[in-house]
Amino acid sequence: MHGQGAIVSAFIGIGSNLGDPMAMVRGVFEELGGLAHTRVDACSSLYRTAPVGLREQPDFINAVAQIRTALAPRDLLDGLLAIEQLHGRARSTKDAPRTLDLDLLLYDDVVMDEPGISIPHPRMHERAFVLAPLSEIAPDANVPGRGKVSVLLARVGQDGVQRIAGD
């Protein structure tokens, strides 16, 4: 297990579909760098994606950030939840519209399934809206137990996921 102090690479999925989602996602790139012992290494382009599940809602803007952090996985997740709450995230119903959704996708090569935290994110290998931006910045990243990001993206395809030009 990684304790405080070991620097690891982690990937954060970012999504928003309420208010000004493009500004929200761009702002979060900076806020992630404000977490203790954390710096942002890479940010994907922004992607417009069709909603999954509850379809009667606006499209999402999604992106992925790669960070380097000395925070332990649960401390990092707590930091992500605090950023969500700062922006008024209310966890109401599954797949509901949201001002901000932050997901801890990968934390080095850690595999963890405990109450409140699962790494890698349990459905990321099935979601083009996660894999497309992740593949843009880290196509060779490995999803433990699932394989290489670029291969997973080729498998699910990119229907409903559109890179925003000029971003």
Side-chain angles (χ1 to χ4, degrees), residues 49-86:
T49 63
V52 173
L54 184 63
R55 299 197 178 273
E56 298 301 315
Q57 62 178 315
D59 285 350
F60 278 83
I61 300 299
N62 290 98
V64 170
Q66 179 178 14
I67 63 171
R68 291 216 176 273
T69 187
L71 294 174
R74 198 168 288 277
D75 293 335
L76 176 57
L77 183 60
D78 288 346
L80 299 179
L81 295 174
I83 292 172
E84 284 185 350
Q85 289 168 351
L86 187 70

Side-chain angles (χ1 to χ4, degrees), residues 6-166:
I7 305 290
V8 300
S9 179
F11 292 90
I12 311 301
I14 307 164
S16 175
N17 76 335
L18 293 177
D20 184 346
M22 289 175 69
M24 175 68 72
V25 172
R26 286 191 187 104
V28 167
F29 288 146
E30 291 185 29
E31 289 180 67
L32 290 171
L35 292 172
H37 313 293
T38 300
R39 78 163 199 256
V40 177
D41 272 0
C43 301
S44 74
S45 300
L46 303 187
Y47 289 76
R48 183 175 310 280
T49 63
V52 173
L54 184 63
R55 299 197 178 273
E56 298 301 315
Q57 62 178 315
D59 285 350
F60 278 83
I61 300 299
N62 290 98
V64 170
Q66 179 178 14
I67 63 171
R68 291 216 176 273
T69 187
L71 294 174
R74 198 168 288 277
D75 293 335
L76 176 57
L77 183 60
D78 288 346
L80 299 179
L81 295 174
I83 292 172
E84 284 185 350
Q85 289 168 351
L86 187 70
H87 291 286
R89 167 74 191 268
R91 290 184 176 267
S92 54
T93 59
K94 182 175 172 14
D95 298 328
R98 56 206 62 168
T99 52
L100 182 61
D101 186 27
L102 297 177
D103 290 322
L104 176 51
L105 302 173
L106 297 169
Y107 182 95
D108 210 22
D109 57 358
V110 168
V111 175
M112 185 176 187
D113 191 7
E114 297 175 5
I117 187 168
S118 293
I119 306 171
H121 190 281
R123 293 168 304 284
M124 66 176 286
H125 65 284
E126 304 167 348
R127 294 179 165 172
F129 67 85
V130 171
L131 294 170
L134 179 55
S135 183
E136 179 189 334
I137 60 173
D140 294 330
N142 180 55
V143 180
R146 301 288 181 184
K148 192 167 25 167
V149 168
S150 59
V151 172
L152 296 171
L153 178 59
R155 197 173 297 153
V156 300
Q158 293 191 54
D159 285 352
V161 177
Q162 175 186 8
R163 184 175 177 268
I164 297 174

